Amino acid sequence: PQDMLNYYNWAVGAVDENKVWVVGSVDDWMPDNIQWSADGGDTWVRVDARLDAGAYLVDIAVLDANTIWAVGSGETIIKTTNGGWTWTLQNYIWPIMDEWLEGISAVDSQTAWVAGSWGTILKTTDGGETWVEQDAGYALHSDVAAVDQDTAWIVGGRENIFKTTDGGETWINQHSSTAGSLSSISAVDAYTAWAVGTWEMAPTGGTYNIILKTTNGGETWIPQDAGTELPLYDVVALDAATAWAVGESGVILKTTNGGDEKPDIKSISPTSGQPGIEVAVVGCDFGDTRDTSYVSFGGVQAAAYTSWSDTEIAVEVPEGISGAVSVTVTTSEGTSNPQDFAVMDLSLIHISEP
């Protein structure tokens, strides 16, 4: 544990292993409390955002050492572009305790989404100079995870999971249930994401956790076993195999195998090349030996393998394919998350003679 001024810490964001930001509150007299550490959390310094209205800040998006957004009550959105020395109030309504913004996710210095109560979705493409409302239908949104300028997920009440792939023009509900509520989502890429939350069992009134994962862009969301019944409030994913979740009573969960027995691809190298070149596929749960398992490039099974282990495969790109394809690993436990690979068409490469 690290000593901090805040009594409640609502969200954390990190630039690297040393530079960390936290938003929270000390009490009702100091709700808009921002703190940052330059030494990995050994010491913390309070930053004055000068929010005269005293909004509660509940989420933060740390893009880099200079560019940071935070959101909270009263649809408050603040931003710094100089590492926290000064903050700009970009959005705000009165009364300050109405219309809470619960989550923010930034793609770059110009593009970010926020989500909040009563179905609020806002997006900026000009660094926050303007925020445009979007509509996914009425829902109590609690968090947002943006992948790029076109792709984002939003989660909330009734286990709703909405996704857009057109910049927010349309939102598709991929999952819903009357049993629970999702509080957080973290996306690795356009294919892989985790969502966590809480559901209540009637008639006993007991509360339990929800962990859902997708590796196919949200076409299916598969429940996972947390190993505890405690409700979960937040999740952050590093890659398709590694994620943390936190929740009630201080519980902290971590997975390094994707949360299940299915194979997970963390990376491939190189990410482009012609048929016949060797590609290294790094991940977990591939199995110690190949047996009947295989790697596919755009649905075409590879035939030549140099090596196969539980965490790395060396495989040759098969003949007869070109263009953008997805690389997957299939074992007896299932098929992994895809990774993008560009197959070069050698017939289109012209080599000039000297």
Side-chain angles (χ1 to χ4, degrees):
Q2 297 177 336
D3 293 329
M4 300 184 69
L5 177 61
N6 288 346
Y7 184 74
Y8 298 102
N9 289 317
W10 302 118
V12 60
V15 178
D16 52 38
E17 62 183 8
N18 293 314
K19 296 177 182 177
V20 186
W21 291 82
V22 169
V23 293
S25 60
V26 180
D27 51 36
D28 289 341
W29 298 102
M30 193 182 291
D32 58 332
N33 201 43
I34 305 172
Q35 296 185 70
W36 80 287
S37 174
D39 54 16
D42 290 336
T43 58
W44 293 88
V45 177
R46 182 176 186 269
V47 176
D48 188 0
R50 301 186 181 278
L51 297 180
D52 295 334
Y56 284 83
L57 299 175
V58 296
D59 199 19
I60 190 168
V62 179
L63 189 64
D64 53 44
N66 293 315
T67 309
I68 303 156
W69 272 285
V71 297
S73 64
E75 290 196 1
T76 297
I77 305 174
I78 62 173
K79 183 185 181 183
T80 180
T81 57
N82 56 14
W85 288 102
T86 58
W87 294 80
T88 301
L89 184 63
Q90 295 187 331
N91 196 65
Y92 167 76
I93 65 169
W94 186 262
I96 198 63
M97 295 306 291
D98 286 352
E99 301 293 335
W100 286 62
L101 296 179
E102 304 283 357
I104 181 166
S105 184
V107 175
D108 52 43
S109 62
Q110 299 299 305
T111 309
W113 267 282
V114 297
S117 60
W118 307 112
T120 302
I121 305 173
L122 302 173
K123 183 186 180 183
T124 183
T125 56
D126 56 13
E129 293 293 324
T130 58
W131 289 87
V132 178
E133 283 196 53
Q134 298 182 340
D135 184 17
Y138 173 77
L140 296 175
H141 303 317
S142 57
D143 198 17
V144 57
V147 176
D148 53 41
Q149 295 180 358
D150 295 320
T151 309
W153 275 285
I154 285 176
V155 296
R158 295 182 178 270
E159 291 185 37
N160 281 312
I161 304 176
F162 296 94
K163 185 182 183 183
T164 182
T165 57
D166 57 11
E169 292 294 322
T170 57
W171 291 85
I172 305 300
N173 193 342
Q174 296 185 325
H175 183 276
S176 64
S177 170
T178 58
S181 178
L182 297 173
S183 55
S184 179
I185 185 167
S186 182
V188 176
D189 50 35
Y191 306 111
T192 303
W194 270 279
V196 301
T198 306
W199 67 279
E200 184 172 327
M201 179 180 288
T204 63
T207 54
Y208 303 90
N209 62 59
I210 303 166
I211 301 181
L212 301 173
K213 184 184 182 184
T214 183
T215 57
N216 57 11
E219 292 182 19
T220 56
W221 288 87
I222 307 301
Q224 294 189 331
D225 183 7
T228 176
E229 295 179 347
L230 292 170
L232 299 174
Y233 302 143
D234 198 16
V235 63
V236 60
L238 179 65
D239 52 45
T242 312
W244 288 263
V246 297
E248 188 176 284
S249 301
V251 64
I252 302 175
L253 307 176
K254 181 183 181 182
T255 180
T256 56
N257 73 338
D260 53 30
E261 300 302 318
K262 290 173 55 179
D264 296 286
I265 301 178
K266 295 181 180 180
S267 65
I268 60 174
S269 180
T271 57
S272 64
Q274 67 273 20
I277 72 162
E278 186 174 277
V279 174
V281 181
V282 177
C284 65
D285 293 335
F286 299 151
D288 293 329
T289 58
R290 182 187 162 209
D291 294 328
T292 59
S293 302
Y294 57 88
V295 177
S296 294
F297 288 76
V300 177
Q301 293 185 25
Y305 299 86
T306 304
S307 62
W308 188 294
S309 73
D310 193 51
T311 58
E312 186 168 353
I313 302 167
V315 58
E316 289 186 10
V317 179
E319 300 290 337
I321 57 174
S322 64
V325 299
S326 294
V327 178
T328 59
V329 177
T330 298
T331 71
S332 60
E333 297 293 338
T335 298
S336 74
N337 58 299
Q339 289 281 306
D340 294 332
F341 187 85
V343 183
M344 300 168 59
D345 188 345
L346 296 180
S347 66
L348 301 178
I349 299 177
H350 177 72
I351 301 176
S352 299
E353 295 183 2

